[in-house]
C-alpha cells in the first residue's frame, strides 16, 4: 500500500516554503479557519493544563454530556452514552471506517481524506456525483445503481458518507436530497456517516438544514468538532454521535480508539466541554465568523465569475469550487500548477477530491485571506466592512489580477514542429 501526504497538508507546506523564499503566494489551498482563539477558550485550556491522566477512551463524561446537549439544542435528542470523543473528527472518521467495515459510498468530489482513509482500512470507495448544482450528498438514485452493481460483483457495501455543508464545493444539500438519501440508505441497509463539522458556519441561518439523523436516526452517525466553527484545528478534538441502539458499533469504535489514540488530550476536553455548551460569548464569536466567511467567500466568488469561471455560490464554510474549463488550459493539475507558479495563487486541484482529472475544477479556501497576524484577523472578524480592510482588499485585487492574466492566448502551448519531409 502506498500512503502519501494529504493533499491539503502537502500544498500548505509547499506554499509556506515558497513564502519563506520570498515569493508572494495567495494562500487559497488550506482549509484552516484563519481566526484567533477566543480568550475564554484559552483560559479554560490553561486552567485544565494540570490534567495529565489518560481518562476514559470515549472521552470525559463532562465533554460527552456537553456534546449531547449541543445536538439536543439542534433538535437531535442525544444520550451522552452514545457520544464518543477523539483527537479530531478526522480520527473518529477513520475509527468508524474500521469499526463498520465493508466498502463505502461517498460524493464526488469530496474531502481529500475520505477516500484516502478508506484505502488505508482496505475499503474500496464508491464515488458517486452529487446532483447538478449541489454538493456533499451523492445523487441518491445513482447510489442505488452503484450499490446494486457493486453487490452484484460480490462486494460488501456497508455505508454512505455525506458532508453538510460541503467541502470542497461550499454547498449545502437541500432537504429533499437528504431525505431521499435517508430512504435509499434504509432500503439498502447502509449506515450513514454525516460529517457536520461546518454546520454552524452555514452563511444564511435561515437556509433549511436537514441532518439525516432527523430522518434515519437508527442508522446515522454524526461527526463534528471545533476546528472550523471556533478555529481550533491545532487542538485536535472531535465528537461522534452514534445511532440509537448502536451498542456493538460503540464497542468496536472504542476498541479501535483504545489501540490508536487511547483518549483525547484531557485539557483540550475540558475546553471543548465548555465550547459545546454554547456559552453566549462563543455563539457570538461563531456568528461573527460565519458572517466573515460568507462575505469573503462571496467576494472571491465574484472574482472568479468575472474571470468567466463556472462556480456555484458558496453557502457554508469557506470554500468554493470553480470550473475554469472555459480557458482550455488543461485539467485540474495543469491549472493548479499554472495558478501557483505563474500567478502566485495557491489552490487545490479537483482530482485530489476524486474529481475527473481532465476537468479544470479547483478547490478554493478563502479563510487565510483575513490577515497574516492575529491582530489583522481579529480586525477582520470585528469589522463591519472586512472587504474594505487594506490587506483583504489587496489580496482580492491580487486574485483578480492573476485571474485576468490566466488566458488561453498567454498560456497557449506552441505546436510541435512538423517533421521535415524527405523528397527524392
Amino acid at each position: 500500500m502506498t500512503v502519501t501526504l494529504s493533499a491539503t497538508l502537502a500544498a500548505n507546506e509547499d506554499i509556506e516554503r515558497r513564502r519563506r523564499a520570498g515569493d508572494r503566494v495567495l494562500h487559497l489551498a488550506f482549509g484552516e479557519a484563519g481566526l484567533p482563539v477566543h480568550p475564554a477558550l484559552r483560559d479554560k485550556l490553561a486552567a485544565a493544563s494540570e490534567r495529565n491522566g489518560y481518562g476514559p477512551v470515549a472521552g470525559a463524561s463532562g465533554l460527552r454530556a456537553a456534546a449531547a446537549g449541543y445536538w439536543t439544542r439542534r433538535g437531535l435528542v442525544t444520550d451522552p452514552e452514545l457520544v464518543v470523543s477523539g483527537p479530531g473528527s478526522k480520527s473518529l472518521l477513520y475509527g468508524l471506517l474500521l469499526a463498520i467495515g465493508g466498502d463505502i459510498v461517498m460524493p464526488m468530489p469530496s474531502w481529500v481524506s475520505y477516500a484516502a482513509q478508506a484505502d488505508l482500512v482496505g475499503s474500496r470507495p464508491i464515488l458517486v456525483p452529487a446532483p447538478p448544482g449541489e454538493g456533499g450528498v451523492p445523487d441518491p438514485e445513482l447510489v442505488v445503481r452503484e450499490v446494486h452493481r457493486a453487490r452484484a460483483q460480490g462486494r460488501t457495501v456497508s455505508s454512505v458518507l455525506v458532508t453538510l455543508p460541503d467541502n470542497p464545493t461550499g454547498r449545502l444539500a437541500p432537504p429533499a436530497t437528504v431525505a431521499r438519501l435517508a430512504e435509499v440508505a434504509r432500503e439498502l441497509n447502509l449506515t450513514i456517516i454525516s460529517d457536520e463539522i461546518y454546520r454552524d458556519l452555514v452563511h444564511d441561518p435561515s437556509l433549511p438544514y436537514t441532518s439525516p439523523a432527523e430522518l434515519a436516526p437508527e442508522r446515522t452517525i454524526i461527526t463534528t468538532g471545533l476546528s472550523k466553527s471556533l478555529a481550533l484545528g491545532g487542538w485536535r478534538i472531535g465528537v461522534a454521535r452514534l445511532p440509537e441502539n448502536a451498542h456493538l458499533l460503540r464497542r468496536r469504535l472504542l476498541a479501535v480508539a483504545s489501540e490508536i489514540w487511547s483518549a483525547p488530550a484531557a485539557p483540550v476536553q475540558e475546553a471543548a466541554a465548555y465550547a459545546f455548551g454554547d456559552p453566549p460569548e462563543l455563539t457570538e464569536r461563531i456568528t461573527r465568523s460565519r458572517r466573515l466567511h460568507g462575505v469573503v467567500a462571496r467576494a472571491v466568488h465574484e472574482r472568479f465569475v468575472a474571470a468567466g469561471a463556472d462556480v456555484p455560490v458558496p453557502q457554508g464554510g469557506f470554500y468554493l469550487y470553480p470550473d475554469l474549463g472555459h480557458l482550455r488550459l488543461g485539467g485540474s493539475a495543469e491549472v493548479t500548477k499554472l495558478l501557483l507558479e505563474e500567478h502566485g495563487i495557491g489552490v487545490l486541484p479537483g482530482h485530489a477530491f476524486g474529481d475527473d482529472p481532465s476537468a479544470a475544477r479547483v478547490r478554493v479556501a478563502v479563510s487565510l485571506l483575513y490577515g497574516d497576524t492575529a491582530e489583522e484577523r481579529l480586525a477582520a472578524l470585528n469589522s463591519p466592512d472586512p472587504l474594505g480592510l487594506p490587506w483583504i482588499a489587496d489580496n482580492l485585487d491580487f486574485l483578480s489580477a492573476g485571474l485576468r492574466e490566466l488566458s488561453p492566448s498567454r498560456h497557449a502551448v506552441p505546436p510541435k514542429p512538423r517533421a521535415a519531409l524527405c523528397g527524392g
Side-chain angles (χ1 to χ4, degrees):
M1 178 186 299
T2 301
V3 181
T4 59
L5 190 65
S6 163
T8 51
L9 297 175
N12 185 57
E13 292 182 9
D14 180 35
I15 289 171
E16 289 304 323
R17 280 194 298 270
R18 291 172 182 269
R19 284 180 155 184
R20 288 193 297 271
D23 297 339
R24 180 173 184 182
V25 180
L26 197 63
H27 200 339
L28 301 174
F30 198 40
E32 190 167 277
L35 293 169
V37 178
H38 193 285
L41 282 167
R42 292 201 305 266
D43 293 344
K44 291 291 182 182
L45 184 66
S49 60
E50 292 185 357
R51 296 177 181 252
N52 61 346
Y54 283 109
V57 176
S61 59
L63 171 56
R64 290 186 286 111
Y70 166 89
W71 277 305
T72 298
R73 286 187 295 276
R74 286 155 180 77
L76 297 168
V77 177
T78 303
D79 181 353
E81 288 302 308
L82 291 176
V83 175
V84 176
S85 177
S89 62
K90 190 172 184 177
S91 301
L92 288 166
L93 287 164
Y94 181 77
L96 286 164
L97 290 176
L98 281 170
I100 295 169
D103 293 342
I104 182 169
V105 181
M106 56 186 63
M108 183 182 73
S110 56
W111 181 45
V112 297
S113 289
Y114 294 148
Q117 287 191 353
D119 288 339
L120 284 171
V121 304
S123 170
R124 285 183 289 173
I126 300 171
L127 300 177
V128 175
E134 299 182 18
V137 174
D139 188 313
E141 307 313 322
L142 296 181
V143 170
V144 173
R145 185 187 71 189
E146 294 303 320
V147 170
H148 283 314
R149 176 183 296 173
R151 287 175 174 170
Q153 297 169 352
R155 296 169 61 178
T156 299
V157 185
S158 305
S159 56
V160 57
L161 188 147
V162 302
T163 314
L164 302 165
D166 183 40
N167 171 14
T169 66
R171 300 289 289 174
L172 177 63
T177 301
V178 177
R180 178 58 184 144
L181 184 80
E183 292 175 356
V184 165
R186 192 172 281 127
E187 293 165 5
L188 298 174
N189 193 26
L190 298 174
T191 296
I192 303 171
I193 303 174
S194 185
D195 183 350
E196 301 184 13
I197 198 164
Y198 297 97
R199 173 170 186 159
D200 293 341
L201 295 181
V202 175
H203 301 160
D204 180 359
S206 67
L207 198 64
Y209 187 102
T210 301
S211 169
E214 299 172 41
L215 308 171
E218 81 287 354
R219 63 183 60 252
T220 301
I221 302 163
I222 301 176
T223 62
T224 192
L226 303 175
S227 61
K228 309 304 179 182
S229 62
L230 286 167
L232 298 180
W235 288 23
R236 309 311 306 143
I237 192 73
V239 287
R241 179 189 187 272
L242 303 184
E244 302 167 358
N245 303 313
H247 304 297
L248 177 59
L249 174 62
R250 184 178 187 274
R251 287 198 298 272
R252 288 176 175 170
L253 179 58
L254 292 182
V256 170
S258 71
E259 301 297 352
I260 297 179
W261 61 78
S262 299
V268 178
Q269 289 190 69
E270 193 80 10
Y274 160 71
F276 280 118
D278 288 328
E281 60 271 26
L282 294 190
T283 56
E284 191 268 345
R285 164 60 70 90
I286 292 171
T287 297
R288 287 177 178 267
S289 302
R290 181 171 59 236
R291 175 183 173 274
L292 176 62
H293 297 320
V295 166
V296 178
R298 287 189 294 274
V300 171
H301 174 265
E302 291 172 2
R303 269 60 178 184
F304 275 95
V305 169
D310 179 12
V311 50
V313 177
Q315 295 173 303
F318 26 84
Y319 303 116
L320 301 93
Y321 200 63
D323 186 336
L324 295 164
H326 69 291
L327 296 173
R328 303 186 184 279
L329 297 173
S332 60
E334 290 81 9
V335 170
T336 299
K337 182 178 181 181
L338 196 60
L339 281 168
L340 178 61
E341 295 184 354
E342 298 201 23
H343 303 285
I345 299 170
V347 298
L348 281 183
H351 73 260
F353 299 86
D355 207 344
D356 179 356
S358 67
R361 289 184 282 269
V362 298
R363 203 285 304 270
V364 174
V366 307
S367 46
L368 295 184
L369 298 180
Y370 307 154
D372 293 329
T373 66
E375 291 74 18
E376 287 182 348
R377 294 165 186 160
L378 196 59
L381 183 70
N382 295 325
S383 173
D385 179 23
L387 302 182
L389 295 173
W391 56 92
I392 294 182
D394 181 57
N395 282 332
L396 293 173
D397 289 344
F398 185 83
L399 172 63
S400 293
L403 293 176
R404 280 196 302 269
E405 295 171 359
L406 194 68
S407 64
S409 58
R410 181 167 185 226
H411 298 290
V413 178
K416 293 181 181 180
R418 305 175 88 183
L421 296 176
C422 298

